[in-house]
Each structure stands twice: as C-alpha cells, then as structure tokens.
Amino acid sequence: MSSKAIGIFDSGVGGISVWKEIRNQLPYESTIYLSDSKHAPYGPKEQKAIIDLSIKNTQWLIDHGCKMIVVACNTATTNAIDQLRIKFSVPFIGIEPAIKPAALQSKTKKIGVLATEGTLSSNLFHKASELYLNDLYLVEQVGDGIVELIEQGKLYSNEMRNLLIKYLKPMIKAKIDCLVLGCTHYHFLKPILQELLPKYISVIDSPEAVAKRTKSVLQQCKLSNNKVLKGESQFYTNGDQAVIADLLESKNVTLKKIEF
Ligand code: DGL
C-alpha cells in the first residue's frame, strides 16, 4: 500500500482528459500531472526526441515521489513506452488509439483514426492495427495543427472548426461509422465533433479504459492508497497556466508554473 502520488504526463494539456477519469475512478489517489507544453507538439518530432522528452518527464515525476507513471499521451506511449519500461522500475500505463473497441463496434467495418504523425507512423500502432486489418478498413488522418490550437486556448475557434471539417470530409465520404480519437488532446473536441459529424458515427477514445487499467495495476502491484482521505491533485506546467485552468474546471487543485 502506498500513499505516494500517481504521476501523469503529456506533451501538454491533453492528458487532463485522462486525469479526469483517474480522478473519477480513483478518488483516494493523489496525482501529480506534468504538462510539457513548452515542447508541444510531440507529434511531428523524431522518435529519438520523443523518447528523450518522455524520459525527462518520467524522471521529473519520479524525483517528485511518484509510485507509478501514466503516459497520458498516445505519441509518447507508441514511441517511447518500451524504452521507459527498460529504464525505470516503476509500473507504467500507456494510452493508445482504441482500435479494438472500434473494431468490435463498427458495422460498416470502416473506421476513422485521427491521431498525430508520431502515433500513426509508430511500430506499436502498426502492430496493434494489423491484428484487425483483414476485417477492417482504416481511414487514417494526421491531425496537424489541432494540438497547437488547443495549447493556445483556441479550442472553440473558427480555425479549429475549419481544420476539423477538412479532416473529417474524407472519413465521412469513406462511410466510417466509428471515429477513434488517437490523441489525448482530441478528447476536448468531442462537443465540436458532435456538431460536425453525422449521428451514425460514434466517437471513441481511451481515457476511461486507461483509468480502469491504472486501478487494476495499482491493485496488482499492491500500490493502492489505503488512506480514506481524498487524494490531492497537483498540476505543473512549463506553458500557459490559464489554458490548463480552463480545461480543469475545478478549483480544488494546485496549479504551478515551472521552468522545465
Ligand atoms: N496528447 C498527445 C497525444 O496523445 C499530443 C501529441 C502532440 O503533442 O503532438 O498524442
């Protein structure tokens, strides 16, 4: 049993979608969230750079006393989690595009995947999606520019709407009936996607599954917090605090700016 915090990192504010689910499912656990907004987006970077940034983020969280790490970034998971597991001894949970649930749900067997270039070009993504490719047609789309707009606090902007219209058009034309959001930032697009997509297209992402997995790994590793006090949530960013504060919609957290 351990009252230490769960460490969560992302290239920016996207992983807050994962933190929210962890908070819901594990209210007695403390969390430390590290937002590396200064180096966002990770998506267009070389794999080596993504690995180096992921190691730096993990080291920071471990130095701040975390008992396990949730990689709340599809790009970092698909490019760096193997290296992180080799380098550090704490348990890791990663997030990946939810191809399996979409494959099970899809009737047209045509699925859209919106993700970063780093995720779509990774070996891990190829291996995971190959398992379903006999039976499934994937329409992959790199979401260039989306992370940048969210990091600038321009979620509900015309620029965002226009980008999404452009990215969704080929998917709708190809008759997808499921859209997988393969980047944690994209979770925050859901209200806009609801407006832009025909009703028969389901939007699927993974924060809930990641929180469920976090819970079960904590139990397996005997790392759950047995104190019945509510967990504390701390947020650290090397970017704009106002953008995080907006997405958090909560006053019961600590939010600090760091040089990192
Ligand atoms: N939230 C990250 C992900 O899930 C965004 C990647 C980026 O910074 O490009 O992939």
Side-chain angles (χ1 to χ4, degrees):
M1 297 295 156
S2 167
S3 57
K4 289 179 170 182
I6 299 171
I8 305 171
F9 79 80
D10 180 35
S11 62
V13 297
I16 286 170
S17 54
V18 177
W19 169 79
K20 281 189 177 167
E21 271 304 321
I22 290 179
R23 192 90 198 111
N24 279 344
Q25 293 188 34
L26 294 159
Y28 299 112
E29 295 294 337
S30 291
T31 54
I32 300 181
Y33 183 100
L34 177 61
S35 169
D36 187 20
S37 295
K38 188 169 144 192
H39 300 105
Y42 283 11
K45 295 191 196 308
E46 296 284 324
Q47 185 176 21
K48 166 87 172 66
I50 299 169
I51 292 172
D52 290 348
L53 288 167
S54 301
I55 290 175
K56 193 174 155 215
N57 296 337
T58 301
Q59 189 64 60
W60 190 93
L61 288 166
I62 289 177
D63 291 347
H64 285 75
C66 293
K67 60 184 172 187
M68 92 186 297
I69 305 293
V70 177
V71 183
C73 173
N74 292 257
T75 312
T77 301
T78 52
N79 284 277
I81 201 157
D82 292 346
Q83 304 295 324
L84 295 177
R85 287 192 167 121
I86 292 169
K87 199 169 165 62
F88 299 98
S89 58
V90 293
F92 282 90
I93 311 292
I95 186 163
E96 289 174 58
I99 303 295
K100 186 177 173 186
L104 294 173
Q105 188 177 323
S106 173
K107 295 206 166 49
T108 61
K109 296 296 168 197
K110 292 182 180 112
I111 290 173
V113 187
L114 188 61
T116 69
E117 190 185 336
T119 295
L120 292 176
S121 64
S122 68
N123 285 336
L124 206 75
F125 176 73
H126 285 145
K127 268 200 235 154
S129 49
E130 256 168 27
L131 296 173
Y132 303 97
L133 285 186
N134 279 342
D135 185 34
L136 213 62
Y137 178 63
L138 292 187
V139 186
E140 296 176 14
Q141 174 67 56
V142 173
D144 261 341
I146 298 176
V147 166
E148 289 90 325
L149 287 176
I150 295 174
E151 289 291 326
Q152 290 162 23
K154 294 183 183 164
L155 178 58
Y156 294 105
S157 62
N158 280 338
E159 280 161 279
M160 182 69 88
R161 253 185 111 78
N162 292 338
L163 266 188
L164 290 176
I165 290 169
K166 184 170 98 187
Y167 295 155
L168 297 174
K169 208 171 166 188
M171 297 190 181
I172 297 170
K173 206 170 159 206
K175 302 254 182 304
I176 63 157
D177 63 354
C178 288
L179 171 62
V180 174
L181 302 180
C183 168
T184 50
H185 283 76
Y186 301 172
H187 175 86
F188 297 107
L189 300 173
K190 279 183 169 180
I192 313 171
L193 291 171
Q194 234 170 19
E195 262 180 59
L196 296 178
L197 285 171
K199 294 277 169 285
Y200 61 83
I201 300 181
S202 312
V203 177
I204 301 179
D205 67 356
S206 340
E208 232 181 286
V210 169
K212 211 168 145 196
R213 176 91 190 120
T214 305
K215 190 173 181 177
S216 88
V217 171
L218 275 181
Q219 284 163 355
Q220 269 168 36
C221 300
K222 304 209 177 339
L223 284 173
S224 306
N225 185 11
N226 59 359
K227 294 198 177 138
V228 274
L229 291 172
K230 226 169 182 291
E232 283 173 23
S233 302
Q234 298 177 51
F235 291 82
Y236 294 89
T237 180
N238 52 14
D240 189 343
Q241 290 181 77
V243 177
I244 289 214
D246 253 12
L247 295 174
L248 282 174
E249 299 161 352
S250 163
K251 301 215 167 9
N252 249 345
V253 300
T254 315
L255 172 57
K256 285 190 186 135
K257 171 103 180 170
I258 48 165
E259 292 309 318
F260 179 70

